[in-house]
Amino acid sequence: MKIELDNTEEKIVRATFDIIQKEGVSKATTKRIASEAGVNEVTVFRKFTNKNNLVEITKTYHFQILIDKVEEIFDFREDEETDEYLRSNFTDLINLPEEDFSIIKVALEDVRAVSDKKLLIAQITDVILDKFEKFFTLQIEKGRIRKVNPRVLGTLCYSITFQSLVLWKIYSESIELDGIDYSTEFLDILNNGIKI
């Protein structure tokens, strides 16, 4: 669901997200949001009815921005080689702006407060896995890689790519390699296995 916002609503949503990603939902009071957005608190209620509604719209709005970027990163050309595709999407992901990693961080924190709705992080997973499966199915059809289950291969690549980025960009874990060296090592292991 694409959310369309007018200028005032966008200011309020951006202020809300800024507070949520830095300090959590509990610190995002309507009074503070209004102050950060440069609007009256009454405007917040007039535009969004209540804080819970505002928080949900804020997450959905920012998350859709990220989903659109992820879709674009994992799109592929029919003639694209496997190494080129994997290196390209890994590099594009690692070079996303910090604000996009803040969206992922908020989505991961949503996991703690599981609700009836589908978790935001599951939507990212679905997009990436579907793109990987289509890409690897095409590579198998073209005879570029051996016949394997494309969903399993996609899951493997997703696990390495996405979880590595979460460790680096959200939890600040270091593995002593830059993104290019890391993707080169990953591709070497993927293409050649681990056996001598």
Side-chain angles (χ1 to χ4, degrees):
M1 171 179 92
K2 195 82 165 170
I3 296 177
E4 300 291 330
L5 302 174
D6 65 32
N7 288 341
T8 302
E9 291 166 340
E10 189 169 342
K11 277 195 238 178
I12 294 168
V13 163
R14 288 191 182 279
T16 303
F17 185 78
D18 200 40
I19 296 167
I20 289 172
Q21 62 101 10
K22 288 178 184 168
E23 302 176 49
V25 173
S26 64
K27 300 284 186 185
T29 64
T30 53
K31 186 174 188 167
R32 181 150 177 226
I33 291 166
S35 174
E36 294 276 328
V39 300
N40 188 302
E41 190 175 13
V42 172
T43 304
V44 173
F45 286 108
R46 187 170 43 81
K47 295 282 190 179
F48 297 97
T49 312
N50 60 51
K51 177 184 166 180
N52 288 340
N53 190 43
L54 171 57
V55 168
E56 287 307 308
I57 288 171
T58 297
K59 288 178 182 179
T60 302
Y61 176 77
H62 281 86
F63 202 70
Q64 189 56 54
I65 292 169
L66 180 60
I67 285 288
D68 291 346
K69 288 180 182 180
V70 169
E71 284 267 3
E72 188 176 317
I73 287 169
F74 284 87
D75 275 342
F76 56 87
R77 300 180 324 272
E78 284 209 18
D79 63 339
E80 197 161 13
E81 296 289 332
T82 306
D83 284 6
E84 176 189 356
Y85 176 68
L86 293 173
R87 181 174 279 113
S88 167
N89 58 47
F90 185 83
T91 303
D92 289 350
L93 278 175
I94 205 166
N95 288 320
L96 283 171
E98 289 304 314
E99 181 178 290
D100 292 332
F101 285 98
S102 295
I103 297 168
I104 295 170
K105 181 180 178 191
V106 168
L108 288 170
E109 288 168 359
D110 251 16
V111 171
R112 293 186 192 136
V114 176
S115 68
D116 295 346
K117 69 181 172 78
K118 191 172 185 186
L119 295 172
L120 297 178
I121 205 69
Q123 293 176 42
I124 290 178
T125 301
D126 290 346
V127 167
I128 295 173
L129 287 178
D130 289 346
K131 293 284 187 179
F132 271 145
E133 185 173 10
K134 288 175 186 164
F135 178 76
F136 290 127
T137 298
L138 180 65
Q139 297 306 302
I140 292 165
E141 289 169 1
K142 290 184 174 250
R144 292 181 174 159
I145 61 174
R146 70 183 179 90
K147 190 173 182 177
V148 295
N149 183 318
R151 190 69 173 192
V152 171
L153 182 54
T155 302
L156 171 71
C157 291
Y158 166 80
S159 299
I160 298 297
T161 303
F162 192 74
Q163 295 305 320
S164 298
L165 292 173
V166 167
L167 286 173
W168 286 350
K169 296 288 192 167
I170 295 174
Y171 297 115
S172 301
E173 295 290 330
S174 172
I175 62 158
E176 317 258 333
L177 290 172
D178 69 21
I180 300 298
D181 291 339
Y182 185 85
S183 65
T184 300
E185 291 285 333
F186 162 64
L187 290 171
D188 177 55
I189 294 167
L190 180 67
N191 291 326
N192 301 311
I194 59 171
K195 290 188 175 180
I196 297 176

